[in-house]
Structures are given as C-alpha cells and as structure tokens.
Amino acid sequence: MSTTQSQAITPQLRQWIVEQAEAGHAAEMVLKSMIDSGWKEDVAIEAMESSLRWHLEKKAVQDGLSPALTVPDPNLDESPLYIDAGDRRVCVLQAMYNPRVVVFGGLLSDEECDGLIALAKPRLARSLTVATKTGGEEVNADRTSNGMFFQRGENELVRKIEARIARLVAWPEENGEGLQVLHYVPGTEYKPHYDYFDPAEPGTPTILKRGGQRVATIVMYLAEPDKGGGTTFPDVHLQVAPKRGNAVFFSYERPHPSTRTLHGGAPVLAGEKWIATKWLRERRFT
Ligand code: PD2
Ligand code: ZN
C-alpha cells in the first residue's frame, strides 16, 4: 500500500480496510500495518472508523433496514472532559459508541432540579405512553411512575435548560418535545423499551407527522433514590446511576433493535426518584 502526499482516504483504501476486517484481521494489526506503510495515526484511525461505518451501513440497508437517520451527537472529538453548553460547563463522564450513550455530569444545578420538581408536583398524573396502535396516549402497565409534560419554552427555567441541551448535543431546540418530569416511589419502574416509534405499528404514521422519528433521548436525574432506580441498557449490561444533576444521552439512527438502545428505569427500592426526559425528533416538533 502506498500513501498520497495529502493522505486522502480513497475508495481503494476503504475497500482494503473492509477486506482486512472481513478476513478477520484485528483492528490493531490493520492500524499498525497502515502506520508502517507511512499513514499518520490519526488519518489511519479516521479511515478505519469511517470505512467500517460505511460498510456496516451498506450491509444494513442491503439486509432490509431503513437507511440511517442523522442524529444529534455531542462533539466528543479530542475526548473533552467538559463541553461548553452556553451557560454551563457540562462534564463528560462516560461515552460509548454502540449503542451511542454518553453520561454527563452536572448538566443541571441543584436549584434547577428542585425548581423543575416544584413546578411539576402540582401537575402530576399517572404516566401515559404514546399508543402506537392509535397515535393517542394510554396508561401503560410497564410504566408505573407519575408524570407531566411542560410545553416547550413554557417558562424561564425550561427555556434555559432547553437551550443548554440544544447546544450540548448540537440539535435544534425546536426539534425537541416538551420536557417530561417523572416521579417514581418504591416499587415503581419503567420496564425496558425503545423510545423510537415502531414503524410496524398502525398509529406510527400519525405520530411521525409532528416532527418525524425520535432520534435521541436525554434522561436528567433531579432527585436520587436511596436504592435502585438506575437507567439500564440490558443489551450491553450497562446501568447508569441516577445521580442528581447528571444525565444520560443516547441516540438511535434507525427505529430498530440493532441500535441496542433497549433501556429501562430499574425499580426504585428505597427513597424517591425524580427525572426529566427530553426526546429529540428528526425535525421541528409541533
Ligand atoms: O427513569 C428512567 O431511568 C427511564 C428509563 C427509561 C426513563 C425513560 N426510559 C424515559 O423517560 O424514556
Ligand atoms: Zn425510555
């Protein structure tokens, strides 16, 4: 293999990388071989990542999956410890690529957590989920919390948090659904589910008229239970601790289990858990 002066990632290079992967060669060996041939390490890593992503995407579509949607993604180039979210520096505590999950520290202050809870408390009702059979809403036995929705931009606190999230994950504020606040007491939970709308359900086309698919979720922890209540990702055996002020972000580029974004709210065993959830759509949510 030879390099060009500018080290361009050519179709031939992509093909060679895919062939190495399909032949079962370990990523470290392929990378070493490229570096030995004169490729700069950062260019070689980028070439491998983008070629394999491109290859997997092509295969997924060939296998009958819908094409990948553009999804929000926090800018984690150069592995920053903090992201400037406009009015607040947010800590990056953990990042995973498949599924795409990022855990943030200090997205909300204690005062903001308390403020959301106080505004939500008088408006709580048994949580509903979107009924994909009809496009309406229904009580769901898998979700035993109480909750409420704020309108997008409903008050100053909500507007401030929405602007911060938009900047944090680089996604337009207008594509967000209104914030939802949920309250869990001992014994309540949210059983594992996907947040996207199942394309096979009859009510989904109606739901999609309001802004397209959901493409990402941010769960913000407002009050910590004493035991239990983590957010679980069963496909990858991940559990995110419900630490006040922190948040877990995850995105899904197609409405399909291959995204490995099955997730749930584990039963609260002691104390109370409060969260705020923000779902992000493909387009402006109306
Ligand atoms: O409360 C949670 O941890 C949780 C888990 C799964 C919230 C949601 N999903 C959600 O609001 O979609
Ligand atoms: Zn969920």
Side-chain angles (χ1 to χ4, degrees), residues 26 37 55 60 76 109 136 149 160 192 241:
S37 310
H55 176 65
L76 301 187
S109 68
F149 271 100
K160 207 163 123 182

Side-chain angles (χ1 to χ4, degrees), residues 143 190-191 193-195 214 217 219 250 261 263-264 277 279:
R143 193 183 204 192
Y190 195 173
K191 293 216 174 108
H193 60 275
Y194 297 99
D195 281 353
R214 283 183 179 158
T217 305
V219 175
F250 53 99
T261 54
H263 65 287
T277 301
W279 289 292

Side-chain angles (χ1 to χ4, degrees), residues 39-80:
W39 289 88
K40 288 195 214 124
E41 186 176 6
D42 57 340
V43 179
I45 290 172
E46 166 56 23
M48 284 183 63
E49 280 179 357
S50 60
S51 302
L52 294 172
R53 227 181 298 124
W54 165 80
H55 176 65
L56 289 174
E57 176 57 24
K58 203 172 69 172
K59 269 185 80 166
V61 173
Q62 275 166 3
D63 290 348
L65 299 190
S66 53
L69 303 169
T70 302
V71 298
D73 206 29
N75 182 358
L76 301 187
D77 293 348
E78 301 180 348
S79 305

